[in-house]
Amino acid sequence: MPSTLGASFNSARSFQWFDNVIFEINDILFRSALADSPSSKFHPELNTHELLNSAPWYAFEKRLINEDECIQRIGHKFNIPEEIVREVILAGTPMKPVPEMLALVKELQQKHKVFAVGNIPAPTFQSLRLKFKVLNSLEHVFLSSQIGERLPHLLFFNRLLDFDALRPERTLYIGSNLDNVVSARSLGFHGIVSTDVQETARRVQSMCSDPIPAAQEYLRTNARELNLEMSNGKQLKDAFAQFLVLDVTGDESLIEYDKSLSEFPWLYGTPSKFFTYPPDIETNAIGMSALKDMDEKIKHNMMDKMLRYRDSTGILQTYLTDERVRVCATAALNTVAFFNEFGRGNQVTETEDWIYRILKNRAFRDGTRYYPTADFFLYLASRLIIKAPHLRV
């Protein structure tokens, strides 16, 4: 049966995190000749990197001065004859393509709008554009020589915001250094710093691909073996995880459980000598909610039992025993949803009030007893709202 939480397993909609991707030209799509050596092979005593990071060169990249004036100012600043400055700079400014990144651009263009940014003098970019046609296929290219400012300054990034298609929250920015990426992030772009070509390509492909088909394939490949893997490599047969999968997909062929049981333990199969836990409210709540064909009498009997294990303030305890008294807000979320789904929400108002206070005061920020992050708490809170839309928000 399809899940009540949304689309069925086989009809899930496609999804992508980003509509746009921005690549830096410098050191991402192309590498400077300086990447191999910061010194000129003709004048090894000169540091070309220093010349190309001087104030005159930055002014030339911003098109505030022309090439001749740039050469003259650099020569004067470093006390170098102009003809040598020109020779050194001509040797240091050529840019070589990074094939993996250009191939990635073409791949992404099938489903994304791809942009480029760079600190590049106008003549250098025109030369690149003639040699590499992929630059002509981009949605837009933002250059320091057009904007009159360089990365990482915010004036440069503000010009990106003037482009209607570039919504920062839907745009991935791939930068060559942390300064540029921090500026991009400060305006809402999702930025990553590239330190390795292969790793960056893999990461971008992962972030820009549709995760749903990959997730579906994983579930099919590992059907009935969707177990917890511990840090030591050993696996635990976790009934709770199985029922979560069923709750979302509605596909019982993916999971393994004992249909004869009227009460579910957290771990199924052969008991572990290291992990022995009494039945808990969370596994039973999510399992009985997800198992649509289970006799409702069994479900109501389970709710009756849950109500017998509450703490001194009436909040549902995590375990169905008085020998292990615990409370966990994340576990309580599932149980309140379970009671509301079957018309008995009025019997767990103390637990509901507690959850409401946790949400209102953001007490979930560091996770809860059995869940170390806030993400899962918020996911189950959204599930509670779906199961009980009449609850206060």
Side-chain angles (χ1 to χ4, degrees):
M1 295 177 64
S3 168
T4 58
L5 293 182
S8 69
F9 179 57
N10 293 313
S11 63
R13 294 176 297 174
S14 62
F15 175 84
Q16 65 180 35
W17 290 107
F18 304 106
D19 300 319
N20 315 298
V21 183
I22 301 175
F23 288 87
E24 287 185 6
I25 296 174
N26 310 70
D27 298 320
I28 299 293
L29 297 180
F30 295 87
R31 294 174 73 245
S32 167
L34 296 178
D36 300 320
S37 173
S39 300
S40 167
K41 64 180 180 179
F42 302 110
H43 301 278
E45 74 282 3
L46 298 180
N47 188 319
T48 310
H49 184 271
E50 186 177 8
L51 303 186
L52 295 180
N53 280 277
S54 63
W57 183 259
Y58 283 2
F60 178 45
E61 286 186 331
K62 293 188 287 186
R63 212 171 190 172
L64 302 180
I65 59 176
N66 61 32
E67 184 174 340
D68 289 338
E69 187 174 356
C70 173
I71 298 296
Q72 182 182 17
R73 290 188 185 185
I74 290 177
H76 182 265
K77 178 179 178 64
F78 293 98
N79 195 26
I80 305 171
E82 290 182 25
E83 62 272 16
I84 294 179
V85 173
R86 190 177 299 274
E87 181 181 358
V88 169
I89 285 179
L90 286 175
T93 54
M95 303 181 79
K96 300 183 292 185
V98 180
E100 297 90 340
M101 290 292 102
L102 295 183
L104 181 60
V105 167
K106 293 180 180 178
E107 178 185 331
L108 292 174
Q109 284 177 316
Q110 297 176 30
K111 293 185 178 180
H112 299 77
K113 293 180 179 179
V114 180
F115 300 78
V117 296
N119 292 328
I120 301 179
T124 303
F125 180 71
Q126 291 305 322
S127 175
L128 286 175
R129 205 167 195 168
L130 290 173
K131 293 179 182 178
F132 302 99
K133 302 302 182 185
V134 66
L135 293 174
N136 298 313
S137 69
L138 300 177
E139 291 291 320
H140 195 80
V141 179
F142 300 87
L143 302 174
S144 58
S145 52
Q146 299 168 341
I147 295 173
E149 185 54 277
R150 303 177 72 257
L151 299 166
H153 296 286
L154 286 183
L155 176 63
F156 191 108
F157 285 98
N158 284 331
R159 287 292 299 273
L160 272 62
L161 297 179
D162 293 337
F163 204 84
D164 290 339
L166 281 173
R167 292 169 51 204
E169 70 275 11
R170 299 288 298 168
T171 302
L172 176 63
Y173 182 94
I174 302 149
S176 60
N177 64 69
L178 191 55
D179 285 345
N180 295 350
V181 170
V182 167
S183 291
R185 288 173 179 168
S186 74
L187 295 177
F189 294 96
H190 187 100
I192 61 173
V193 180
S194 174
T195 56
D196 176 83
V197 172
Q198 283 72 29
E199 173 59 21
T200 299
R202 183 203 63 77
R203 188 176 175 189
V204 172
Q205 286 171 329
S206 175
M207 296 174 74
C208 292
S209 64
D210 183 352
I212 293 176
Q216 290 173 326
E217 180 59 28
Y218 176 86
L219 291 174
R220 292 190 186 98
T221 301
N222 296 279
R224 299 187 181 278
E225 293 293 335
L226 300 169
N227 303 318
L228 286 183
E229 184 169 320
M230 298 187 292
S231 57
N232 61 7
K234 294 183 179 180
Q235 291 192 343
L236 287 177
K237 292 182 176 293
D238 177 359
F240 177 66
Q242 304 280 319
F243 291 138
L244 272 179
V245 170
L246 177 60
D247 187 56
V248 173
T249 66
D251 189 344
E252 287 194 26
S253 71
L254 298 174
I255 71 167
E256 180 183 354
Y257 72 100
D258 187 344
K259 294 184 178 182
S260 68
L261 295 178
S262 58
E263 180 177 283
F264 299 112
W266 168 44
L267 300 177
Y268 66 94
T270 305
S272 168
K273 63 180 179 179
F274 300 108
F275 296 94
T276 55
Y277 293 95
D280 63 89
I281 59 173
E282 186 173 34
T283 300
N284 282 279
I286 195 77
M288 292 187 181
S289 174
L291 292 168
K292 305 305 178 186
D293 295 332
M294 175 178 269
D295 187 342
E296 281 201 17
K297 184 178 179 180
I298 296 175
K299 299 180 183 184
H300 284 285
N301 287 341
M302 174 52 64
M303 283 183 268
D304 292 340
K305 185 171 184 177
M306 290 174 175
L307 291 172
R308 294 201 294 269
Y309 296 99
R310 293 188 276 188
D311 75 358
S312 55
T313 57
I315 293 173
L316 293 166
Q317 294 176 186
T318 301
Y319 295 102
L320 299 172
T321 177
D322 285 327
E323 299 301 317
R324 192 182 183 91
V325 178
R326 307 284 190 276
V327 289
C328 174
T330 307
L333 272 168
N334 274 328
T335 314
V336 172
F338 181 43
F339 273 78
N340 275 276
E341 184 177 0
F342 291 93
R344 297 176 61 174
N346 63 306
Q347 295 178 297
V348 289
T349 53
E350 296 90 350
T351 307
E352 178 195 322
D353 288 341
W354 183 46
I355 290 169
Y356 179 80
R357 290 197 298 271
I358 288 171
L359 285 166
K360 181 180 179 180
N361 297 304
R362 300 183 64 82
F364 58 84
R365 286 183 303 236
D366 297 317
T368 56
R369 181 181 184 91
Y370 297 110
Y371 299 94
T373 67
D375 296 348
F376 194 57
F377 182 88
L378 292 174
Y379 166 70
L380 292 179
S382 70
R383 182 181 180 276
L384 170 59
I385 293 171
I386 292 171
K387 294 290 186 181
H390 61 280
L391 293 184
R392 54 188 157 167
V393 294

